[in-house]
Amino acid sequence: MSEPVLKLKGVETDIAQYHILKKVDLDVPRGSVTMLLGRNGVGKTTTLRTIIGHWQARAGSITFDGNDITRLPVPDRARAGIGFVPEDMGIFADLTVEENMILAAISGPLDAARRDWLFSVFPPLRTFWNAAAGNLSGGQKQMLSIARAMAERRTLYLIDEPTKGLAPAIISTMVGALRELKAQGASILMVEQNFAVAKALGDHAAVMDDGRIVWTGSMAELANDATLQERLMGLSMEMQ
Amino acid sequence: MTIAPTHKPTFADIPLSERLAKATPLLLVPVLVLVGLAAIGNPSSWLTLTVSGLAMGMMIFIIASGLTLVFGLMDVINFGHGAFISVGAFVGISVLLALGGWAGAPSLLLNLLVVLLAVIAAMIVTGGLGWAFEKVIVRPVYGAHLKQILVTVGGLIVIEQLIAVVWGPEEIFFSRPETLKGAFTFWGAALEKYRILAVAVGLGLFVAMRLVFRRTKIGLIVRAGVENGEMVEALGYRLSRVFIGVFIAGSALAGLGGVMWGLYQEVITASMGEELMILVFIVVIIGGLGSVEGAFIGALLVGLLQNYVAFLEPKLALVSNIALMTAILMWRPQGMLPVVKAK
């Protein structure tokens, strides 16, 4: 088996006086989708933000693509090949959709073929290309947020709850887009509360509790074991 | 294969009231101009005051545009900005006085050339000073507003004292270049030549800034950084470097504003920047933190209102801008066109 694309070892993160991550160990296999699951407030978002560098790890190491990135500034981690879709989507509301996408292309002008592919994946982007991103609906903003991360090829995508609050039609678009991304060979680490989506997309799963990874395995294994789900997360996927 | 949803998205109709509410700040300047005409009555006096107000507003805008970006991008409250105004004025006017032959010649070309050289010298010196100021004074206090106020006010005082050491403690009186003196008459109104130049420079700068912010990638990075710096960094841009560039550019613009203001008043003092900062802060606050467009509208409102009120009721001129700020903040507590939401 190939070396994981991302490896967290004993990562600890504090936010103000709160000790949020407590020795997180996590491997993200290359070219697959890893779902980061768990109850609210167990440290899933903090884990993603620590990987991209918005929170600095107090202890432990983060290895990406064979390189230690634990102390790298945020922009260097992004340029190393990590795309980030935050929970609040992080779109630039005062910029147009086009301007958001231009910014996302960090290595040069936005590639026309890539843009057309994104239009096919997220048709509303074409419709609202010249509109202020702040005027988009919640689902369209989420599409823009993910499309922005996909504007250039990245080795790893960190995606925080992309389906939160979205209508079923939009969720199916998201799932399809992320499948296409995976088909292109990208690795994805995704926080997701919607178990149906997690089950549909995930190859691997890691479950967090109280700032630690408490279980790792295949998504199929977790999806098929209601008792395990109850024990790890307090409810079963079948309830959803 | 496309996995597009079956729904066809369309633009939602924004209600007229919402569209009007958005456009209201843009309408304030023409409304104020019309109210001024109604209150003053005499069209020629009104035109003179309007040009004077626009000139004053443009100069304040030049100074305020850098400050609002510095605040918007890195959440830095820089009271030291006033020092760049004073230094710019002293450097620029020194060039003007050194090239007194060109300034005194009755040649528009030579006069504009000497003003241009004065502006270039002032912008280079204040840009360099801004670079050092950011590195030595501002950088250690990122994220700490109280410390920022204390150290930048301290920096302002030190630089003012250094001006006194270099140029002496007295104010310096001088005359504008020959062809920029006096006024010409238009529809019975006396329009000062220099004020027309100030309006042209301010307008040109505003258009140039709009082009940079709308048409260039660095402009997009700055606009996006003001709105959500964390996300800009997550895309791969080093915002700290962009900020240093903006700080230097903002300082250089303050230097330009200092030269323009000095030529407007025909006298410069070490404390002129500090005194102007009250108006500059009013403009930044009512415009909306981080908004260049807001600063532009705010500066024009401040300039026009002060000139109209000074003509109509001189005793109220001093309080007119504070009253304007109070009224606008009661209407829009975050300013007219805020870009910075919350940090």
Side-chain angles (χ1 to χ4, degrees):
Chain A
M1 189 177 158
S2 67
E3 186 73 9
V5 68
L6 181 77
K7 199 172 178 63
L8 275 66
K9 198 166 168 41
V11 169
E12 299 190 43
T13 302
D14 298 342
I15 300 175
Q17 72 270 39
Y18 301 106
H19 189 31
I20 308 295
L21 298 189
K22 303 164 182 172
K23 294 192 184 300
V24 169
D25 295 314
L26 175 67
D27 287 356
V28 175
R30 198 176 288 274
S32 60
V33 179
T34 302
M35 310 303 303
L36 192 56
L37 306 171
R39 297 178 178 90
N40 286 333
V42 296
K44 305 184 296 295
T45 294
T46 304
T47 302
L48 294 197
R49 288 176 63 82
T50 303
I51 296 166
I52 193 65
H54 287 326
W55 297 121
Q56 190 63 51
R58 179 173 55 78
S61 67
I62 305 169
T63 307
F64 170 63
D65 231 0
N67 301 308
D68 186 351
I69 61 165
T70 318
R71 302 289 158 212
L72 274 189
V74 176
D76 291 359
R77 298 184 198 208
R79 284 183 180 270
I82 302 177
F84 180 51
V85 180
E87 190 179 6
D88 66 1
M89 299 177 268
I91 63 150
F92 305 118
D94 289 335
L95 274 59
T96 63
V97 171
E98 181 185 17
E99 288 170 337
N100 269 271
M101 294 302 295
I102 288 171
L103 271 185
I106 55 173
S107 59
L110 182 62
D111 179 65
R114 189 86 175 167
R115 183 199 60 200
D116 290 344
W117 171 66
L118 287 169
F119 282 163
S120 74
V121 177
F122 300 119
L125 294 188
R126 187 198 294 274
T127 310
F128 297 113
W129 192 237
N130 294 311
N135 292 340
L136 300 180
S137 71
Q140 290 157 356
K141 282 177 185 167
Q142 190 61 272
M143 288 182 202
L144 173 59
S145 182
I146 293 177
R148 205 173 51 181
M150 292 159 65
E152 289 182 342
R153 282 181 186 276
R154 299 274 185 269
T155 310
L156 172 69
Y157 292 86
L158 308 173
I159 304 175
D160 199 352
E161 295 204 45
T163 64
K164 193 166 79 174
L166 300 185
I170 309 287
I171 290 177
S172 74
T173 302
M174 294 293 169
V175 170
L178 295 172
R179 277 197 179 128
E180 290 212 14
L181 197 59
K182 182 184 156 190
Q184 292 181 353
S187 311
I188 300 173
L189 175 60
M190 188 165 132
V191 171
E192 184 55 68
Q193 297 280 21
N194 183 327
F195 286 143
V197 171
K199 189 177 169 183
L201 272 175
D203 300 304
H204 310 280
V207 181
M208 291 190 78
D209 193 23
D210 192 26
R212 295 181 181 85
I213 301 287
V214 293
W215 185 89
T216 56
S218 78
M219 190 67 222
E221 183 187 349
L222 182 63
N224 293 327
D225 191 337
T227 314
L228 185 64
Q229 294 161 30
E230 287 275 2
R231 181 167 65 80
L232 295 172
M233 293 175 286
L235 76 170
S236 74
M237 292 182 182
E238 284 168 9
M239 291 169 69
Q240 295 235 334
Chain B
M1 181 191 83
T2 178
I3 35 72
T6 50
H7 71 284
K8 293 195 184 308
T10 53
F11 284 99
D13 276 338
I14 301 170
L16 183 64
S17 58
E18 205 174 302
R19 271 183 281 179
L20 279 177
K22 278 187 176 176
T24 309
L26 306 175
L27 299 173
L28 285 181
V29 172
V31 166
L32 179 60
V33 167
L34 291 177
V35 169
L37 176 60
I40 292 162
N42 182 340
S44 58
S45 301
W46 166 80
L47 187 55
T48 302
L49 291 167
T50 300
V51 171
S52 178
L54 288 175
M56 182 181 168
M58 291 294 184
M59 284 183 272
I60 296 169
F61 163 70
I62 290 169
I63 296 164
S65 56
L67 190 70
T68 198
L69 283 176
V70 161
F71 187 91
L73 260 184
M74 295 299 264
D75 204 18
V76 168
I77 301 171
N78 180 20
F79 278 78
H81 202 68
F84 307 132
I85 301 169
S86 300
V87 170
F90 275 84
V91 170
I93 300 311
S94 296
V95 170
L96 198 76
L97 294 175
L99 297 172
W102 291 12
S107 157
L108 181 63
L109 188 66
L110 277 180
N111 290 172
L112 288 179
L113 190 61
V114 75
V115 170
L116 183 66
L117 288 174
V119 163
I120 290 170
M123 291 182 78
I124 289 172
V125 171
T126 51
L129 187 65
W131 172 79
F133 199 87
E134 192 278 335
K135 196 171 176 133
V136 177
I137 293 180
V138 175
R139 201 173 297 179
V141 291
Y142 276 155
H145 281 162
L146 183 60
K147 287 181 182 172
Q148 283 167 11
I149 293 169
L150 291 173
V151 298
T152 56
V153 167
L156 170 70
I157 294 168
V158 169
I159 293 172
E160 279 184 1
Q161 294 307 308
L162 285 174
I163 290 173
V165 169
V166 176
W167 281 279
E170 303 298 325
E171 61 237 12
I172 298 175
F173 291 92
F174 58 94
S175 297
R176 285 179 207 140
E178 200 56 34
T179 56
L180 299 179
K181 288 177 186 167
F184 60 84
T185 309
F186 180 73
W187 275 4
L191 305 179
E192 274 197 41
K193 293 174 188 171
Y194 180 71
R195 289 176 182 175
I196 302 286
L197 177 69
V199 171
V201 170
L203 211 51
L205 186 75
F206 177 67
V207 171
M209 287 176 88
R210 287 268 304 180
L211 286 175
V212 169
F213 286 133
R214 306 276 159 182
R215 302 281 168 84
T216 68
K217 196 157 187 177
I218 188 70
L220 289 183
I221 293 169
V222 172
R223 284 169 60 205
V226 168
E227 195 181 332
N228 188 345
E230 199 174 67
M231 194 62 223
V232 171
E233 294 223 302
L235 288 177
Y237 301 101
R238 278 183 182 267
L239 208 53
S240 55
R241 286 186 191 164
V242 176
F243 173 67
I244 293 167
V246 169
F247 201 96
I248 292 170
S251 306
L253 286 176
L256 166 63
V259 178
M260 301 286 296
W261 192 261
L263 283 166
Y264 181 56
Q265 300 287 349
E266 295 187 291
V267 59
I268 53 173
T269 66
S271 61
M272 62 182 277
E274 183 187 333
E275 290 153 12
L276 261 177
M277 283 306 284
I278 296 167
L279 286 181
V280 173
F281 270 117
I282 289 175
V283 163
V284 169
I285 291 166
I286 66 176
L289 297 172
S291 169
V292 171
E293 284 86 355
F296 184 71
I297 296 170
L300 295 186
L301 288 177
V302 163
L304 288 167
L305 188 67
Q306 183 148 327
N307 277 272
Y308 291 155
V309 175
F311 176 81
L312 294 166
E313 192 55 64
K315 287 179 184 170
L316 289 179
L318 285 174
V319 297
S320 63
N321 287 316
I322 299 291
L324 174 71
M325 182 171 74
T326 308
I328 285 182
L329 291 184
M330 285 173 70
W331 170 48
R332 290 198 173 181
Q334 293 193 322
M336 290 183 290
L337 300 169
V339 180
V340 181
K341 269 73 178 184
K343 290 198 176 183

